[in-house]
Amino acid sequence: QKEVEQDPGPLSVPEGAIVSLNCTYSNSAFQYFMWYRQYSRKGPELLMYTYSSGNKEDGRFTAQVDKSSKYISLFIRDSQPSDSATYLCAMSLYGNNRLAFGKGNQVVVIP
Amino acid sequence: DTEVTQTPKHLVMGMTNKKSLKCEQHMGHRAMYWYKQKAKKPPELMFVYSYEKLSINESVPSRFSPECPNSSLLNLHLHALQPEDSALYLCASSQGIGVNTQYFGPGTRLLVL
């Protein structure tokens, strides 16, 4: 079983729709959860970061962590064509320099 | 400022060349990383420097040689690369203690002929 599972997609949605992305993981010790957005041929950009369980909202983006289910989600409201990118989930232990990445999920928002 | 800069943006080199990739951050971070990323794959960790000391080497071939001259700079020296080493090379940095939120640079796209 991989440490982090993420369905690579691609996921196509019409402009204005809600995009829902998720990752599952096997290591219950993970405490820090991140979502990165990566445009084609660019470096990953940190989008959201959450600690332990709970929700975090930033503009159109909401990140959720459910540690009991080992499941994290990212929601993008009112999606725009500029949201078309690959979204990578990543997680780590406290004080550990390694990030465990999901495979990445390609999202296409159709105007 | 959460910026990590990398130079060059693109690099083409032959298998006998020697070249270097450079990375710089001014966020006061004490951990810096090199990753390799192939198309449609997540980044793969290569090296980690923590407080300017090499703390992780993920069994990377010796044709890749990292260097951390100071807490803001990170280099990756390349020598006798193979075509399969063609990839996007990413630098990242993080605070170095506690929370490991990593900030990535734009990457260097390397093509080995």
Side-chain angles (χ1 to χ4, degrees), chain B residues 27-70:
Chain B
M27 294 179 276
H29 288 172
R30 301 310 299 271
M32 296 186 76
Y33 309 76
W34 281 115
Y35 285 87
K36 174 183 177 180
Q37 188 178 29
K38 291 278 206 179
K40 300 190 186 299
K41 300 285 187 183
E44 292 176 40
L45 185 63
M46 300 175 70
F47 302 103
V48 181
Y49 274 83
S50 181
Y51 291 81
E52 294 141 65
K53 292 192 187 322
L54 184 64
S55 61
I56 296 176
N57 176 340
E58 294 287 57
S59 303
V60 178
S62 60
R63 56 187 185 266
F64 295 92
S65 175
E67 178 195 17
C68 188
N70 60 54

Side-chain angles (χ1 to χ4, degrees), chain B:
Chain B
D1 182 10
T2 56
E3 190 177 25
V4 176
T5 58
Q6 288 187 245
T7 54
K9 289 184 180 176
H10 304 278
L11 181 61
V12 180
M13 59 187 290
M15 290 191 286
T16 58
N17 291 159
K18 284 186 181 181
K19 296 286 185 184
S20 296
L21 310 185
K22 298 187 183 300
C23 174
E24 190 167 5
Q25 58 88 14
H26 293 289
M27 294 179 276
H29 288 172
R30 301 310 299 271
M32 296 186 76
Y33 309 76
W34 281 115
Y35 285 87
K36 174 183 177 180
Q37 188 178 29
K38 291 278 206 179
K40 300 190 186 299
K41 300 285 187 183
E44 292 176 40
L45 185 63
M46 300 175 70
F47 302 103
V48 181
Y49 274 83
S50 181
Y51 291 81
E52 294 141 65
K53 292 192 187 322
L54 184 64
S55 61
I56 296 176
N57 176 340
E58 294 287 57
S59 303
V60 178
S62 60
R63 56 187 185 266
F64 295 92
S65 175
E67 178 195 17
C68 188
N70 60 54
S71 60
S72 300
L73 293 173
L74 187 66
N75 298 322
L76 186 64
H77 303 298
L78 314 173
H79 174 54
L81 294 192
Q82 304 297 308
E84 60 264 28
D85 296 321
S86 299
L88 181 67
Y89 287 84
L90 295 162
C91 174
S93 70
S94 70
Q95 286 184 341
I97 53 171
V99 179
N100 184 24
T101 309
Q102 294 184 23
Y103 295 86
F104 285 83
T108 293
R109 187 155 297 278
L110 174 66
L111 177 62
V112 182
L113 300 176

Side-chain angles (χ1 to χ4, degrees), chain A residues 10-66:
Chain A
L11 178 64
S12 292
V13 299
E15 183 175 353
I18 294 175
V19 175
S20 173
L21 305 171
N22 57 76
C23 291
T24 58
Y25 60 94
S26 57
N27 188 344
S28 58
F30 284 139
Q31 293 180 287
Y32 297 94
F33 304 91
M34 286 144 273
W35 286 96
Y36 288 90
R37 176 175 63 194
Q38 187 171 23
Y39 292 113
S40 180
R41 307 174 80 83
K42 303 287 187 185
E45 172 194 5
L46 180 65
L47 203 54
M48 299 285 285
Y49 147 70
T50 50
Y51 167 68
S52 195
S53 282
N55 292 2
K56 187 172 185 178
E57 192 172 313
D58 183 2
R60 297 184 295 112
F61 299 89
T62 299
Q64 290 184 349
V65 175
D66 182 348

Side-chain angles (χ1 to χ4, degrees), chain A residues 9 49 65 74 81 87 95 102 107:
Chain A
Y49 147 70
V65 175
L74 178 71
Y87 292 81
V107 171

Side-chain angles (χ1 to χ4, degrees), chain A residues 89-100:
Chain A
C89 65
M91 45 201 79
S92 72
L93 308 172
Y94 181 85
N96 189 308
N97 283 329
R98 284 191 173 84
L99 286 181

